[in-house]
Every structure is written in C-alpha cells, then in structure tokens.
Amino acid sequence: MTVKTPIDGFGSVTGVPKLPSGFRDVFHSYRVDANGIGLHAVIGGTGPALLLLGGWPENWFAWRYLMLPLSRDFTVIAADPRGVGLSEKPSDGYDADTLSADMFALMDALGHEKFSMVGHDVGLWIGYVMAADRPDRIERIALGEAIVPGLSQSPPLLSDDRWVSDFLWHFNFNRALGVNERLVEGREDLYFGYQFDTKAGSIENFPAYGKEFYIETMRRVPGALKASFDYYRAIDESIPQYRRRKENKITMPVLAFSGALACGPMVENELCTVATNVESVIIPECGHYPAEEQPEALLAALQEFLQCPKVT
C-alpha cells in the first residue's frame, strides 16, 4: 500500500514563490496517508528526523529559509496539519487530541519512531500535547510564539493594556460560528494582510511575497478559509485536553523561542510551568514570525539546541 505520493502544483514545492537556490534539488512535496486523511509534507535531507509545524495562517512555506541548512543534519519533514495548505480539510478533528494523533500517524507512516520537533504558534499547541503524551518518541522540542489556551490564566477580554487587545483580538473573531467566513471571504487580503502587518515586528521585516502567497492560499484552496477558523472554534474542545496534561511534566529538553516585539518572555514563563528542562531565546527586533522575520537568528538557536555540528 502506497502511503507517500509525490504531488506538485500550487502550494507544493513546485508552486510557491522565491524558494532558496537549490531547494527543489533537496525537497519534494508528498501526500502522506495518515490517521484516515491525506496530509501534505515537504521532505528532504538525511539524518535523524526533524518535524516542523507552523502556525496560523501560514503553512510549511514558513520554514523555507531554515530547511536547507537543517537538511544537512536531519531528514526534515515540514508538514501541513489537517486543514492547512494542501492537506485535506475535513469538517472536524481540529482539537488537540486529534491533531496530535495526526502527526504521530504521519511520522509512523514515514517510518520515524523517534524524532525531534519544532512548533510555532498553533504548531506549539500540537507539539505540547505530543511531548506530554509520548516523551519516549520525541528527543528534543523547540516551541515558539504562543501560549496554550487553558494552561495559563487568559488575558482579560477588556484589558487596561491596549496592546493585549491589538495582539489577541483575532482569537474571539476566529472562534465565531459561521459569520466570520462570510465577513472575510472576498476580503482575505484585508483580514490576513492586517494580521501579518500588525503581528510582525515591522511590515518591512515580513517578506511581502510570503504574505501574498498565504493570502492567495486562503483565497484559492477550497476549504482553507473555513478550516483556518475551525482551529480556533475547536479551542472549546482543546482546553480540557490541554489541562488534562498539565500535571504530566515534560522532561525532555525544551527550547522556548519568541520575538522580543511579540510574545517576549511569555513562552518561557508558561513552558516552565509544564516542563522541567527549559531554555529560552528571545530574538531582538522580531515579532510573531521568527522563521521569516529573523531566520538566521532562529536557525542559529535551533542548531545549537538540536546539537548540530559546527560548520567550519
């Protein structure tokens, strides 16, 4: 039975803009059958497995600057979870338990019993559950630019600090039932463009072509817009799932990473409540998207944490 099938076209390695030179010589796009759905994964390199999971409203493309250097030491798997990019978009399954099961099934299908992992934003939510549940499978995990709903006290809906509202207002908008797709459809550039422009450290730091590609994905790929909101609607299911794991401390090495102009110390502070072996890097002049705003700084932190050999 074939579980890994090459794919091409828009959203795959053959249908995205401005990849680094030599990228397509190393990396290829595949549909991988896992946990009953087809997941898109971009795979390349040699060595131990390294799973990369991005965040809302991005996809595997967010890791493009880091993937070639990491592929010298790892078999890199940049995956689109269900509902994201070219992965299938079922009507349900966006809760933490199901998303974690999807990723373990993906790694099983690819033949990787043990692996390291990097999760950004929603990828942090998924990674936290995976690390809490199966520490026997994950060697090291780097988690960045998010806090997990229900683990820490939620910021107030009406905060005295205007920055909190500006940074987090999309949570409640995205959780709305049905009306948000109708408001955003046809205005994807306005809504998602605003998210990127206000959450990046500066508009100049976030590549314009990347923003345009993510917006075009929401506009062009059937079901992508609804699925992007379903991640937030499923928070109702996910909060008790996260809390159920809170007392099960993570003991593997954990790297908390964040942008100084976005989450700052929040990621480390929260992870230290659920993990016993945490180190942290806060990247200067960086907002919510370190892999695209300051890729060299994030790459250096990951290479040190993942114990990559020094290149001389």
mmCIF file of all heavy atoms in Angstrom, residues 165-193:
data_model
loop_
_atom_site.group_PDB
_atom_site.id
_atom_site.type_symbol
_atom_site.label_atom_id
_atom_site.label_comp_id
_atom_site.label_asym_id
_atom_site.label_seq_id
_atom_site.Cartn_x
_atom_site.Cartn_y
_atom_site.Cartn_z
ATOM 1 N N SER A 165 -5.250 43.730 23.518
ATOM 2 C CA SER A 165 -6.375 43.657 22.587
ATOM 3 C C SER A 165 -5.895 43.625 21.141
ATOM 4 O O SER A 165 -6.373 42.827 20.332
ATOM 5 C CB SER A 165 -7.307 44.854 22.798
ATOM 6 O OG SER A 165 -8.360 44.835 21.850
ATOM 7 N N ASP A 166 -4.943 44.486 20.813
ATOM 8 C CA ASP A 166 -4.444 44.543 19.435
ATOM 9 C C ASP A 166 -3.789 43.222 19.016
ATOM 10 O O ASP A 166 -3.870 42.828 17.853
ATOM 11 C CB ASP A 166 -3.437 45.688 19.292
ATOM 12 C CG ASP A 166 -4.082 47.060 19.386
ATOM 13 O OD1 ASP A 166 -5.320 47.141 19.231
ATOM 14 O OD2 ASP A 166 -3.358 48.042 19.613
ATOM 15 N N PHE A 167 -3.138 42.543 19.969
ATOM 16 C CA PHE A 167 -2.381 41.340 19.653
ATOM 17 C C PHE A 167 -3.258 40.090 19.628
ATOM 18 O O PHE A 167 -2.977 39.142 18.891
ATOM 19 C CB PHE A 167 -1.256 41.163 20.681
ATOM 20 C CG PHE A 167 -0.198 40.159 20.293
ATOM 21 C CD1 PHE A 167 0.554 40.328 19.130
ATOM 22 C CD2 PHE A 167 0.065 39.057 21.089
ATOM 23 C CE1 PHE A 167 1.533 39.411 18.773
ATOM 24 C CE2 PHE A 167 1.041 38.135 20.734
ATOM 25 C CZ PHE A 167 1.781 38.319 19.579
ATOM 26 N N LEU A 168 -4.337 40.085 20.413
ATOM 27 C CA LEU A 168 -5.100 38.848 20.614
ATOM 28 C C LEU A 168 -6.553 38.910 20.170
ATOM 29 O O LEU A 168 -7.272 37.920 20.303
ATOM 30 C CB LEU A 168 -5.064 38.456 22.105
ATOM 31 C CG LEU A 168 -3.687 38.141 22.692
ATOM 32 C CD1 LEU A 168 -3.808 37.842 24.177
ATOM 33 C CD2 LEU A 168 -3.022 36.979 21.971
ATOM 34 N N TRP A 169 -7.006 40.013 19.593
ATOM 35 C CA TRP A 169 -8.429 40.137 19.283
ATOM 36 C C TRP A 169 -8.916 39.083 18.284
ATOM 37 O O TRP A 169 -10.085 38.692 18.293
ATOM 38 C CB TRP A 169 -8.752 41.537 18.737
ATOM 39 C CG TRP A 169 -8.208 41.805 17.366
ATOM 40 C CD1 TRP A 169 -6.976 42.280 17.054
ATOM 41 C CD2 TRP A 169 -8.892 41.606 16.128
ATOM 42 N NE1 TRP A 169 -6.836 42.385 15.688
ATOM 43 C CE2 TRP A 169 -7.997 41.979 15.091
ATOM 44 C CE3 TRP A 169 -10.159 41.152 15.774
ATOM 45 C CZ2 TRP A 169 -8.328 41.915 13.737
ATOM 46 C CZ3 TRP A 169 -10.503 41.079 14.420
ATOM 47 C CH2 TRP A 169 -9.600 41.461 13.423
ATOM 48 N N HIS A 170 -8.001 38.590 17.438
ATOM 49 C CA HIS A 170 -8.403 37.619 16.422
ATOM 50 C C HIS A 170 -8.907 36.319 17.039
ATOM 51 O O HIS A 170 -9.654 35.576 16.383
ATOM 52 C CB HIS A 170 -7.233 37.335 15.470
ATOM 53 C CG HIS A 170 -6.094 36.602 16.112
ATOM 54 N ND1 HIS A 170 -5.195 37.213 16.960
ATOM 55 C CD2 HIS A 170 -5.716 35.292 16.032
ATOM 56 C CE1 HIS A 170 -4.307 36.310 17.375
ATOM 57 N NE2 HIS A 170 -4.598 35.154 16.829
ATOM 58 N N PHE A 171 -8.509 36.001 18.290
ATOM 59 C CA PHE A 171 -8.980 34.753 18.898
ATOM 60 C C PHE A 171 -10.507 34.712 18.944
ATOM 61 O O PHE A 171 -11.117 33.733 18.513
ATOM 62 C CB PHE A 171 -8.414 34.605 20.320
ATOM 63 C CG PHE A 171 -7.098 33.896 20.376
ATOM 64 C CD1 PHE A 171 -5.925 34.539 20.022
ATOM 65 C CD2 PHE A 171 -7.025 32.577 20.770
ATOM 66 C CE1 PHE A 171 -4.705 33.884 20.070
ATOM 67 C CE2 PHE A 171 -5.814 31.905 20.826
ATOM 68 C CZ PHE A 171 -4.644 32.562 20.472
ATOM 69 N N ASN A 172 -11.113 35.738 19.481
ATOM 70 C CA ASN A 172 -12.569 35.725 19.605
ATOM 71 C C ASN A 172 -13.248 35.862 18.247
ATOM 72 O O ASN A 172 -14.294 35.236 18.004
ATOM 73 C CB ASN A 172 -13.031 36.821 20.560
ATOM 74 C CG ASN A 172 -12.796 36.438 22.010
ATOM 75 O OD1 ASN A 172 -12.888 35.272 22.382
ATOM 76 N ND2 ASN A 172 -12.469 37.408 22.844
ATOM 77 N N PHE A 173 -12.667 36.642 17.344
ATOM 78 C CA PHE A 173 -13.238 36.734 15.999
ATOM 79 C C PHE A 173 -13.207 35.379 15.320
ATOM 80 O O PHE A 173 -14.195 34.927 14.732
ATOM 81 C CB PHE A 173 -12.472 37.765 15.165
ATOM 82 C CG PHE A 173 -12.994 37.907 13.760
ATOM 83 C CD1 PHE A 173 -14.023 38.781 13.476
ATOM 84 C CD2 PHE A 173 -12.457 37.156 12.721
ATOM 85 C CE1 PHE A 173 -14.521 38.911 12.184
ATOM 86 C CE2 PHE A 173 -12.948 37.273 11.431
ATOM 87 C CZ PHE A 173 -13.977 38.163 11.159
ATOM 88 N N ASN A 174 -12.058 34.694 15.392
ATOM 89 C CA ASN A 174 -11.910 33.410 14.706
ATOM 90 C C ASN A 174 -12.791 32.319 15.313
ATOM 91 O O ASN A 174 -13.143 31.354 14.628
ATOM 92 C CB ASN A 174 -10.452 32.953 14.749
ATOM 93 C CG ASN A 174 -9.548 33.781 13.863
ATOM 94 O OD1 ASN A 174 -9.998 34.675 13.159
ATOM 95 N ND2 ASN A 174 -8.250 33.506 13.909
ATOM 96 N N ARG A 175 -13.154 32.449 16.579
ATOM 97 C CA ARG A 175 -13.971 31.435 17.245
ATOM 98 C C ARG A 175 -15.461 31.575 16.914
ATOM 99 O O ARG A 175 -16.247 30.679 17.230
ATOM 100 C CB ARG A 175 -13.790 31.517 18.761
ATOM 101 C CG ARG A 175 -12.432 31.033 19.242
ATOM 102 C CD ARG A 175 -12.299 31.203 20.742
ATOM 103 N NE ARG A 175 -13.046 30.191 21.478
ATOM 104 C CZ ARG A 175 -13.174 30.183 22.804
ATOM 105 N NH1 ARG A 175 -12.634 31.165 23.520
ATOM 106 N NH2 ARG A 175 -13.848 29.222 23.413
ATOM 107 N N ALA A 176 -15.839 32.687 16.310
ATOM 108 C CA ALA A 176 -17.257 32.880 15.977
ATOM 109 C C ALA A 176 -17.738 31.766 15.045
ATOM 110 O O ALA A 176 -16.949 31.167 14.303
ATOM 111 C CB ALA A 176 -17.455 34.244 15.322
ATOM 112 N N LEU A 177 -19.020 31.494 15.083
ATOM 113 C CA LEU A 177 -19.587 30.374 14.328
ATOM 114 C C LEU A 177 -20.254 30.873 13.052
ATOM 115 O O LEU A 177 -21.315 31.485 13.106
ATOM 116 C CB LEU A 177 -20.596 29.613 15.193
ATOM 117 C CG LEU A 177 -20.030 29.006 16.482
ATOM 118 C CD1 LEU A 177 -21.144 28.383 17.308
ATOM 119 C CD2 LEU A 177 -18.951 27.980 16.169
ATOM 120 N N GLY A 178 -19.590 30.631 11.922
ATOM 121 C CA GLY A 178 -20.221 30.861 10.627
ATOM 122 C C GLY A 178 -20.107 32.254 10.068
ATOM 123 O O GLY A 178 -19.884 32.429 8.870
ATOM 124 N N VAL A 179 -20.221 33.258 10.894
ATOM 125 C CA VAL A 179 -20.272 34.621 10.360
ATOM 126 C C VAL A 179 -18.911 35.099 9.865
ATOM 127 O O VAL A 179 -18.819 35.905 8.942
ATOM 128 C CB VAL A 179 -20.848 35.601 11.409
ATOM 129 C CG1 VAL A 179 -19.870 35.787 12.582
ATOM 130 C CG2 VAL A 179 -21.190 36.937 10.775
ATOM 131 N N ASN A 180 -17.832 34.598 10.457
ATOM 132 C CA ASN A 180 -16.506 35.128 10.101
ATOM 133 C C ASN A 180 -16.099 34.792 8.669
ATOM 134 O O ASN A 180 -15.509 35.619 7.976
ATOM 135 C CB ASN A 180 -15.428 34.695 11.100
ATOM 136 C CG ASN A 180 -15.632 33.319 11.658
ATOM 137 O OD1 ASN A 180 -16.471 32.552 11.176
ATOM 138 N ND2 ASN A 180 -14.870 32.972 12.672
ATOM 139 N N GLU A 181 -16.428 33.566 8.192
ATOM 140 C CA GLU A 181 -16.128 33.271 6.786
ATOM 141 C C GLU A 181 -16.835 34.252 5.857
ATOM 142 O O GLU A 181 -16.266 34.724 4.874
ATOM 143 C CB GLU A 181 -16.567 31.847 6.416
ATOM 144 C CG GLU A 181 -15.742 30.750 7.054
ATOM 145 C CD GLU A 181 -16.450 30.149 8.235
ATOM 146 O OE1 GLU A 181 -17.086 30.934 8.988
ATOM 147 O OE2 GLU A 181 -16.364 28.922 8.430
ATOM 148 N N ARG A 182 -18.084 34.551 6.180
ATOM 149 C CA ARG A 182 -18.858 35.446 5.314
ATOM 150 C C ARG A 182 -18.298 36.861 5.328
ATOM 151 O O ARG A 182 -18.366 37.583 4.328
ATOM 152 C CB ARG A 182 -20.311 35.430 5.764
ATOM 153 C CG ARG A 182 -20.983 34.071 5.529
ATOM 154 C CD ARG A 182 -22.182 33.845 6.422
ATOM 155 N NE ARG A 182 -23.221 34.857 6.207
ATOM 156 C CZ ARG A 182 -24.249 35.036 7.027
ATOM 157 N NH1 ARG A 182 -24.358 34.288 8.121
ATOM 158 N NH2 ARG A 182 -25.155 35.951 6.750
ATOM 159 N N LEU A 183 -17.730 37.264 6.456
ATOM 160 C CA LEU A 183 -17.143 38.598 6.541
ATOM 161 C C LEU A 183 -15.795 38.682 5.822
ATOM 162 O O LEU A 183 -15.448 39.722 5.260
ATOM 163 C CB LEU A 183 -16.965 38.997 8.010
ATOM 164 C CG LEU A 183 -18.248 39.272 8.791
ATOM 165 C CD1 LEU A 183 -17.946 39.408 10.277
ATOM 166 C CD2 LEU A 183 -18.939 40.528 8.265
ATOM 167 N N VAL A 184 -15.023 37.581 5.846
ATOM 168 C CA VAL A 184 -13.653 37.611 5.313
ATOM 169 C C VAL A 184 -13.600 37.208 3.845
ATOM 170 O O VAL A 184 -12.748 37.704 3.091
ATOM 171 C CB VAL A 184 -12.736 36.703 6.162
ATOM 172 C CG1 VAL A 184 -11.351 36.576 5.531
ATOM 173 C CG2 VAL A 184 -12.628 37.253 7.582
ATOM 174 N N GLU A 185 -14.487 36.326 3.397
ATOM 175 C CA GLU A 185 -14.438 35.853 2.008
ATOM 176 C C GLU A 185 -14.540 37.034 1.035
ATOM 177 O O GLU A 185 -15.434 37.874 1.137
ATOM 178 C CB GLU A 185 -15.569 34.871 1.738
ATOM 179 C CG GLU A 185 -15.433 34.172 0.404
ATOM 180 C CD GLU A 185 -16.435 33.039 0.232
ATOM 181 O OE1 GLU A 185 -17.346 32.902 1.080
ATOM 182 O OE2 GLU A 185 -16.293 32.291 -0.746
ATOM 183 N N GLY A 186 -13.589 37.076 0.113
ATOM 184 C CA GLY A 186 -13.506 38.196 -0.812
ATOM 185 C C GLY A 186 -12.716 39.360 -0.269
ATOM 186 O O GLY A 186 -12.372 40.293 -1.009
ATOM 187 N N ARG A 187 -12.390 39.297 1.039
ATOM 188 C CA ARG A 187 -11.583 40.347 1.677
ATOM 189 C C ARG A 187 -10.374 39.720 2.384
ATOM 190 O O ARG A 187 -9.883 40.252 3.376
ATOM 191 C CB ARG A 187 -12.424 41.119 2.699
ATOM 192 C CG ARG A 187 -13.699 41.732 2.132
ATOM 193 C CD ARG A 187 -14.510 42.407 3.237
ATOM 194 N NE ARG A 187 -15.772 42.933 2.735
ATOM 195 C CZ ARG A 187 -16.902 42.243 2.658
ATOM 196 N NH1 ARG A 187 -16.924 40.955 3.061
ATOM 197 N NH2 ARG A 187 -18.009 42.787 2.205
ATOM 198 N N GLU A 188 -9.928 38.575 1.865
ATOM 199 C CA GLU A 188 -8.817 37.864 2.507
ATOM 200 C C GLU A 188 -7.577 38.738 2.624
ATOM 201 O O GLU A 188 -6.847 38.670 3.621
ATOM 202 C CB GLU A 188 -8.482 36.585 1.725
ATOM 203 C CG GLU A 188 -9.559 35.525 1.752
ATOM 204 C CD GLU A 188 -10.590 35.687 0.642
ATOM 205 O OE1 GLU A 188 -10.541 36.722 -0.072
ATOM 206 O OE2 GLU A 188 -11.435 34.785 0.479
ATOM 207 N N ASP A 189 -7.326 39.560 1.598
ATOM 208 C CA ASP A 189 -6.144 40.418 1.647
ATOM 209 C C ASP A 189 -6.245 41.423 2.781
ATOM 210 O O ASP A 189 -5.242 41.733 3.446
ATOM 211 C CB ASP A 189 -5.926 41.126 0.310
ATOM 212 C CG ASP A 189 -7.127 41.941 -0.133
ATOM 213 O OD1 ASP A 189 -8.259 41.673 0.338
ATOM 214 O OD2 ASP A 189 -6.943 42.859 -0.956
ATOM 215 N N LEU A 190 -7.451 41.919 3.065
ATOM 216 C CA LEU A 190 -7.632 42.887 4.139
ATOM 217 C C LEU A 190 -7.443 42.224 5.502
ATOM 218 O O LEU A 190 -6.657 42.710 6.337
ATOM 219 C CB LEU A 190 -9.031 43.499 4.041
ATOM 220 C CG LEU A 190 -9.422 44.495 5.139
ATOM 221 C CD1 LEU A 190 -8.509 45.710 5.113
ATOM 222 C CD2 LEU A 190 -10.878 44.933 4.957
ATOM 223 N N TYR A 191 -8.120 41.097 5.717
ATOM 224 C CA TYR A 191 -8.070 40.475 7.050
ATOM 225 C C TYR A 191 -6.705 39.868 7.343
ATOM 226 O O TYR A 191 -6.074 40.183 8.362
ATOM 227 C CB TYR A 191 -9.159 39.404 7.179
ATOM 228 C CG TYR A 191 -9.163 38.761 8.552
ATOM 229 C CD1 TYR A 191 -9.446 39.515 9.683
ATOM 230 C CD2 TYR A 191 -8.864 37.405 8.716
ATOM 231 C CE1 TYR A 191 -9.438 38.945 10.945
ATOM 232 C CE2 TYR A 191 -8.860 36.831 9.979
ATOM 233 C CZ TYR A 191 -9.147 37.602 11.088
ATOM 234 O OH TYR A 191 -9.129 37.039 12.343
ATOM 235 N N PHE A 192 -6.233 38.997 6.461
ATOM 236 C CA PHE A 192 -4.971 38.324 6.737
ATOM 237 C C PHE A 192 -3.785 39.275 6.557
ATOM 238 O O PHE A 192 -2.788 39.170 7.281
ATOM 239 C CB PHE A 192 -4.833 37.073 5.877
ATOM 240 C CG PHE A 192 -5.807 35.998 6.251
ATOM 241 C CD1 PHE A 192 -6.904 35.726 5.446
ATOM 242 C CD2 PHE A 192 -5.647 35.276 7.421
ATOM 243 C CE1 PHE A 192 -7.817 34.743 5.797
ATOM 244 C CE2 PHE A 192 -6.554 34.294 7.786
ATOM 245 C CZ PHE A 192 -7.645 34.026 6.969
ATOM 246 N N GLY A 193 -3.890 40.201 5.622
ATOM 247 C CA GLY A 193 -2.840 41.199 5.486
ATOM 248 C C GLY A 193 -2.668 42.008 6.756
ATOM 249 O O GLY A 193 -1.543 42.300 7.190
#
